[in-house]
Amino acid sequence: MNAIFIFSFCISALILTVKDADKLVLAMQNGATSAVELSISLLALYAVWLGIFEIMEKSGITEKLSRFLKKPLKALFGDMKSAETATCVSVTANFLGLSGVATPLAISACTAFDNDKNEYAKSMLFVLSATSIQLLPTSVIALRASHGSAFPSSIILPSLISTLFSTVLGIVLVKIFIKK
Amino acid sequence: MKIFAIIIPILIIALFIFASVKKISVYETFTLGAKKAFKLIFDIFPYICAILIIVNLLEESGLIERLINVLSPVLSFLGVPSEIMPLIILKPFSGSGSLALLDKIYTDYGVDSFISRCASVVFGSSETTFYIAGVYFSLCKTKKLAKPIAISLFCTFLSSVFACFLCKIM
């Protein structure tokens, strides 16, 4: 990440400075401002969903869910050790399009995998999410409806096929290119 | 569509009732979970900040636009309409930027046109790869991101091409 960061920073900062020297610091500040705005809305989102998740955890539902999903996910992740529950819940939440639960749990699963030096499982969890395995693209459907589409949900099936394609391909590539 | 929309609310209500039947203090438990949101945001904010600064620089310097110009011939060779190429290339970098672009495509071409349907499927089946990478791996000590990012971008790229093909035949 460091290499990507330095590389893209240097090139774009250089171009910006040549174009207009005043712009660089301003552009960086604007980036940070959008980070603050995003963080505040994420704080609200995570507060709601982590609250709900805590209730799920206390009432034993996450444990049941992970017992149910353990076997199929083991084929993907291998031995998940302490990250098991977090991984199961995160993948399920991603599938349902609930990023408010999926992201916090993915972060904790990744951290647990990291402590076990399990690069493979970390990459698998990331690729699953980055190839967007999702049942319903709700934000797109809502936007289509607001533009007065005759069939806002007509894109569900092609989206599902397309996202399934990229996720399966992603799984295969992780299995080939990243050592367990 | 209405049926799908009702699933999550019902699950949440059922959960709250189920928990109170199990004699769990729902109020206390909820606040305990909500409290964790603060620490999480506190921990990941620096990473969100760094990523959004870079994305903003890439956009402002015109590099993303240049990338679009370079990759367009490849995409049009693969049968992707030229109108949605910016969307395919912008999405991995910026969620808000690509959402604005999608909105503009709907306005310009009509929401039920072929181009808008392609754009919808492309948007729905891709993710903000760099942001997810930064956030997911934010608390990890080793950040070996090159391979997973490359794999994700490759898959998203292919599925975008595939999405346009699907819209043509469906």
Side-chain angles (χ1 to χ4, degrees):
Chain A
M1 201 62 181
N2 192 37
I4 302 173
F5 188 77
I6 294 177
F7 180 73
S8 39
F9 177 81
C10 286
I11 296 185
S12 49
L14 213 65
I15 294 176
L16 262 178
T17 312
V18 170
K19 260 193 196 163
D20 183 354
D22 297 333
K23 260 193 172 165
L24 177 62
V25 177
L26 191 69
M28 288 179 75
Q29 274 178 13
N30 287 341
T33 306
S34 38
V36 172
E37 286 166 5
L38 179 64
S39 298
I40 289 175
S41 54
L42 284 180
L43 178 63
L45 180 73
Y46 293 166
V48 170
W49 282 106
L50 287 177
I52 292 173
F53 174 71
E54 196 75 22
I55 299 172
M56 279 173 69
E57 183 119 80
K58 271 264 167 68
S59 50
I61 290 176
T62 51
E63 204 194 308
K64 274 191 196 116
L65 185 74
S66 75
R67 208 180 302 151
F68 183 67
L69 281 175
K70 215 160 65 182
K71 280 208 174 122
L73 285 182
K74 217 166 198 168
L76 286 183
F77 288 93
D79 189 3
M80 293 176 273
K81 292 182 187 162
S82 60
E84 197 172 82
T85 312
T87 308
C88 291
V89 178
S90 171
V91 170
T92 314
N94 247 329
F95 186 66
L96 295 173
L98 303 173
S99 69
V101 197
T103 311
L105 287 172
I107 295 171
S108 78
C110 275
T111 316
F113 285 141
D114 187 58
N115 288 334
D116 298 336
K117 300 209 168 5
N118 191 347
E119 283 301 318
Y120 168 82
K122 253 162 75 184
S123 308
M124 184 61 90
L125 187 60
F126 164 71
V127 169
L128 274 187
S129 157
T131 53
S132 176
I133 180 154
Q134 203 186 89
L135 197 58
L136 287 175
T138 38
S139 59
V140 178
I141 297 170
L143 190 65
R144 282 171 62 81
S146 78
H147 273 264
S149 166
F151 304 103
S153 52
S154 69
I155 52 122
I156 292 178
L157 192 60
S159 299
L160 200 59
I161 298 172
S162 159
T163 184
L164 199 66
F165 167 77
S166 67
T167 305
V168 170
L169 184 66
I171 291 171
V172 173
L173 291 178
V174 169
K175 286 211 177 255
I176 294 173
F177 288 108
I178 295 171
K179 265 184 280 172
K180 230 174 201 176
Chain B
M1 206 39 234
K2 283 267 158 55
I3 299 169
F4 286 121
I6 219 166
I7 293 175
I8 298 293
I10 286 194
L11 283 178
I12 294 174
I13 296 166
L15 171 70
F16 276 57
I17 296 172
F18 177 70
S20 26
V21 168
K22 281 196 113 184
K23 299 227 162 35
I24 291 164
S25 161
V26 178
Y27 174 69
E28 297 288 328
T29 313
F30 182 87
T31 51
L32 209 66
K35 195 177 166 186
K36 290 179 183 163
F38 244 109
K39 190 180 178 315
L40 183 69
I41 292 293
F42 191 77
D43 286 340
I44 66 174
F45 174 75
Y47 300 93
I48 295 179
C49 193
I51 293 159
L52 291 191
I53 287 176
I54 284 292
V55 168
N56 200 36
L57 288 183
L58 287 172
E59 275 189 296
E60 290 271 330
S61 65
L63 275 178
I64 290 187
E65 213 180 305
R66 209 160 292 181
L67 190 67
I68 292 170
N69 292 336
V70 172
L71 287 179
S72 283
V74 184
L75 284 168
S76 85
F77 175 74
L78 294 169
V80 175
S82 63
E83 293 85 349
I84 65 161
M85 285 166 193
L87 186 70
I88 295 180
I89 295 157
L90 189 62
K91 185 72 199 270
F93 294 98
S94 162
S96 54
S98 52
L99 188 64
L101 202 57
L102 182 67
D103 193 76
K104 192 175 175 302
I105 290 175
Y106 286 171
T107 312
D108 290 353
Y109 301 99
V111 65
D112 285 320
S113 64
F114 169 65
I115 287 168
S116 293
R117 283 196 308 127
C118 279
S120 310
V121 178
V122 164
F123 189 92
S125 57
S126 59
E127 270 296 341
T128 48
T129 315
F130 290 100
Y131 169 77
I132 295 184
V135 171
Y136 273 34
F137 292 78
S138 56
L139 307 183
C140 296
K141 279 179 223 94
T142 45
K143 296 186 165 66
K144 286 185 196 158
L145 292 171
K147 265 193 208 170
I149 288 182
I151 290 173
S152 308
L153 286 179
F154 177 73
C155 296
T156 309
F157 192 75
L158 276 193
S159 82
S160 296
V161 175
F162 185 53
C164 293
F165 172 72
L166 282 174
C167 284
K168 219 170 269 179
I169 58 168
M170 284 174 89

